[in-house]
Each structure stands twice: as C-alpha cells, then as structure tokens.
Amino acid sequence: MPEGTLSAVPARPRAAPAAARYDALVRDVPAPDPAAELPRDTRGRRLHDLRISVTDRCNFRCVYCMPAEVFGRDFAFLSRDLILRYEEIARLAAIFVGLGVEKVRITGGEPTIRKDLPDLVAMLGRLDGIRDLTLTTNGSALRVLARPLADAGLRRITVSLDALDDAAFGRLNGVDVPVARVLEGIAAARAAGLAPVKVNMVVRRGMNEAEVVPMARWARDEGLVLRFIEYMDVGLSNGWRLDDVVPAEEVLALVDAVHPLEPVPPAYPGEVADRYRYRDGSGEIGVIASVTRPFCGDCTRARLSADGRLYTCLFAVAGTDLKTPLRDGASDAELAALVERTWRARTDRYSELRTSATTDLPKVEMFAMGG
Ligand code: SAM
C-alpha cells in the first residue's frame, strides 16, 4: 500500500524484518565512550536531544504549519527514494548517541502515516544510550497504532490538540478532523500504557484562545499534562504576525484565574516547557514560550529531517546533508565527525534575535525539518 495513507498502518505488531537487517548493520557501531569529551557548540551547549522526522507529509493542514492553500494536492513532497530508510535513520541515531544524545523524539510531518513505524521504534529502542524515546503525533492514527507502538518499545507520547470544540479544531487542522478522533487516539495511547500522555496546544490569536480554559480543565480532569505553545514564525507559509501570538503570560493568567497555579522548577536543564502546577495538587501544565521567553541559551536540540539533513535550529535556513555521505559509503567515524563539526560550529539563537523584521528571512518549513 502506498505510503501516506492511514490504511497502510498495520493493525498489530509484526516481526520486524527491517529491525533484523538493522541489527546486522550496527553490530560494529562502538558504544559511546563515557570518558570522551562530548561536543559543545560555540555557546557551550551540548548535543542532548534529537528530533527525527520520518516524513514531510501530513494528513492535517494546520493553518499555522502547513496551510491548505499553500500545500495543496499538487505540492511536491519528498519522493520515497529521497527519504531515509529506517536502517539509515537508526544508524545515524546511533552516531548521535555516541556524541551525547540521550533523548530522541520521532516526529514529522505526521510520523504515523509512514508505514511500519513500530519497526523504527523497535530499532531505536535497542540503542543503549537512549534514555527517553518518544513520539509527537496529531493522534489521528493512534486508535490503531498506539498498541503496536507501545509493544515496539515506545514509552510515552505527545499528542497535538488545539481545541475541544469541533468548529475551532476544524478551522485549525484545515481538514475537519473531528476532536473525537484525537480523543479516541489519546484513550488508545493510555490503554496501551503510554505514560505520560502529553498534549500540545498551539494558541493562535482569534482562533482558539477561548479554548485555553476548557482545554486546561479537560486535561486536569483527565490527568493529562497540557503544554500551551506560543504560535511561532516557523517556515514562510503561515503568514505569521506578532499580533497573532497569545503570550504565555496571558495563557497562564487565564488558567490561573480559574485554577490557581504555582511554578515548578525545571526537571532538567534545558527543559523546553516552563512548568506550573495547580495549587490544589490536581496536576500541572506547561508553556512553551519560544517567542516571549526564548530559551536558545539552553537549547540542546538537533533535528534530522526525513531527507537526512541535520538542522541545529528550528528556524534554520539550511542543514548539513548526512544522506549523501551515508549513501556514498562514509564510515561511522566519518559521519560522526561531520555531525560533530556541524554541532561545534553552531551559533544559532534565532528566538533571541526575533523581531518582526526577521520573520521574512528564508527559513525551512517546520514539517520539512521535523517539528
Ligand atoms: N504532526 C505531528 C503533530 O501534529 O504533533 C508532529 C509534527 S508537528 C510540526 C509538531 C508540533 O509542532 C505540533 O504540536 C504542532 O502543533 C507544532 N507546531 C507546528 N507549527 C507551529 C507553529 N507555527 N507554532 C507553534 N507550534 C507549531
């Protein structure tokens, strides 16, 4: 069945032939040397997190990411030969682990529309140095896929959901996917034992700020961790304007007015979300305030795009091509040296420099580099 159709998702975990091939391939990848000096970039930031995009395609057309009027039927997404195979992704992931990566997030595009995704989870799950393996999804395929992903070794998951109201959600996701479909996906994830289930909500002025309190109340009642994300100027297609950003302070004030909050210290240095707990002990929320409280100084994230480019910033203009040397027969040591050189040269701090004048600078679309 063609890639990009939900019906291609397998209903149950299968023996993973690709995983077996991968085992043979990485037998000789050396384990990271704990005594080796891990690379730091020009600002002293370590390489700790890797976001792996498995596809640039998505079955949603969210207005803030992949608006339908720009990314219509005739848009040329990457062809199959241009995207990394799972064995290639896992080999590169092992190399990143050797350079300090401990946390891996599978993303896209929409990762669950790529065929046999549990195979990749199984391969990554077998890499020793990865302490945290997770996935970000729009949740639309989780009803079918949550169990196979959990069986393959996924431990936790983040689901994006921007509203509980169908009309608001439909306007945002661009394809009228009903809220119930995502809620079913979240229920399936919980039933499969994925924990915690985190929920990402992008708040865009005039579209869903009325959903902030209902979403907070729902997540609190359900015992889910909700993260409010400030609308960002990723890519060039969403027509971003500063006026459309609902600042994290405003979101926090809305929630605090009905369910009083207090800050929680970060769980680890570089944690993206600023966390708050309900004073009555009934749970927590977070805000990801890339626009109003930039966290570039703590950013330890690299992104590997579906076509094998390494990006060191979500707002990058270009990436380092790893696929060409990989397919041309580069050794692990050569690939590691290329990643290390790229990381050591990193100067990125776009969010600290953002003004309305930076918005039109050339940037790679978020779905293309991995969100
Ligand atoms: N398709 C998956 C999903 O929906 O979660 C993974 C990829 S998506 C690009 C990753 C996350 O980025 C989602 O939570 C999405 O809401 C968020 N996102 C996309 N565009 C954004 C923007 N312009 N500002 C803030 N967050 C954005």
Side-chain angles (χ1 to χ4, degrees):
M1 256 180 275
E3 186 174 313
T5 55
L6 288 175
S7 51
V9 171
R12 60 184 172 77
R14 301 176 304 107
R21 289 200 301 278
Y22 162 69
D23 277 346
L25 204 80
V26 296
R27 246 192 343 251
D28 300 326
V29 174
D33 174 0
E37 200 194 319
L38 295 170
R40 289 182 183 268
D41 71 7
T42 58
R43 301 183 74 198
R45 298 169 294 192
R46 266 192 54 195
L47 170 54
H48 182 264
D49 310 57
L50 179 64
R51 297 189 180 209
I52 299 175
S53 173
V54 294
T55 179
D56 60 340
R57 293 167 197 250
C58 190
N59 54 338
F60 283 22
R61 285 292 178 275
C62 297
V63 287
Y64 49 75
C65 186
M66 201 190 264
E69 60 279 13
V70 183
F71 302 99
R73 286 191 184 282
D74 51 353
F75 184 79
F77 289 98
L78 293 168
S79 59
R80 181 181 286 262
D81 55 317
L82 292 181
I83 63 175
L84 295 180
R85 296 186 296 275
Y86 287 162
E87 294 92 330
E88 293 174 324
I89 292 176
R91 181 174 168 211
L92 288 175
I95 287 165
F96 277 90
V97 168
L99 294 170
V101 163
E102 295 181 0
K103 177 174 172 185
V104 170
R105 179 178 297 278
I106 301 171
T107 182
E110 172 49 40
T112 60
I113 65 174
R114 180 148 174 192
K115 212 168 157 242
D116 297 334
L117 189 64
D119 287 356
L120 177 66
V121 169
M123 291 177 193
L124 296 175
R126 255 176 269 146
L127 292 181
D128 263 351
I130 299 181
R131 290 176 197 270
D132 189 8
L133 175 60
T134 184
L135 172 84
T136 299
T137 171
N138 61 31
S140 60
L142 280 184
R143 194 167 55 87
V144 180
L145 210 51
R147 174 68 61 188
L149 287 168
D151 287 347
L154 194 71
R155 293 277 159 265
R156 66 186 190 90
I157 198 158
T158 300
V159 180
S160 302
L161 178 63
D162 299 327
L164 289 173
D165 173 70
D166 265 326
F169 187 49
R171 277 195 301 277
L172 281 155
N173 69 47
V175 287
D176 282 330
V177 171
V179 173
R181 174 130 163 232
V182 181
L183 298 186
E184 279 169 17
I186 291 173
R190 300 178 94 177
L194 296 171
V197 175
K198 291 187 182 169
V199 177
N200 276 352
M201 171 180 176
V202 176
V203 190
R204 192 183 178 290
R205 177 83 66 205
M207 295 205 87
N208 64 342
E209 65 264 56
E211 291 288 299
V212 165
V213 170
M215 283 282 292
R217 192 172 286 136
W218 162 76
R220 182 173 177 265
D221 291 347
E222 292 288 322
L224 297 164
V225 177
L226 177 62
R227 306 283 196 226
F228 296 99
I229 308 182
E230 285 180 347
Y231 172 42
M232 296 182 286
D233 51 338
V234 292
L236 286 177
S237 307
N238 61 10
W240 185 90
R241 296 177 319 140
L242 190 54
D243 287 352
D244 294 331
V245 178
V246 181
E249 287 307 326
E250 189 177 325
V251 168
L252 289 168
L254 286 168
V255 179
D256 183 63
V258 281
H259 299 299
L261 293 165
E262 62 190 7
V264 180
Y268 56 89
E271 190 171 30
V272 172
D274 293 334
R275 296 163 54 210
Y276 295 81
R277 69 182 150 231
Y278 294 113
R279 285 182 190 270
D280 65 6
S282 59
E284 72 165 71
I285 61 167
V287 289
I288 301 179
S290 158
V291 178
T292 62
R293 300 181 195 167
F295 37 83
C296 303
D298 288 333
C299 177
T300 54
R301 271 170 300 287
R303 291 179 155 81
L304 179 64
S305 66
D307 63 347
R309 284 173 204 277
L310 163 60
Y311 292 97
T312 56
C313 178
L314 180 55
F315 303 94
V317 178
T320 302
D321 177 14
L322 302 181
K323 183 182 69 195
T324 302
L326 181 142
R327 291 191 176 171
D328 284 351
S331 67
D332 289 333
E334 286 165 339
L335 290 167
L338 181 55
V339 173
E340 181 166 349
R341 263 201 315 280
T342 304
W343 190 261
R344 286 191 187 279
R346 177 185 190 234
T347 56
D348 309 297
R349 56 189 196 104
Y350 176 86
S351 290
E352 289 179 353
L353 306 173
R354 176 188 287 111
T355 63
S356 37
T358 57
T359 303
D360 295 334
L361 291 176
K363 278 185 246 114
V364 178
E365 296 295 337
M366 188 172 188
F367 65 83
M369 80 160 60

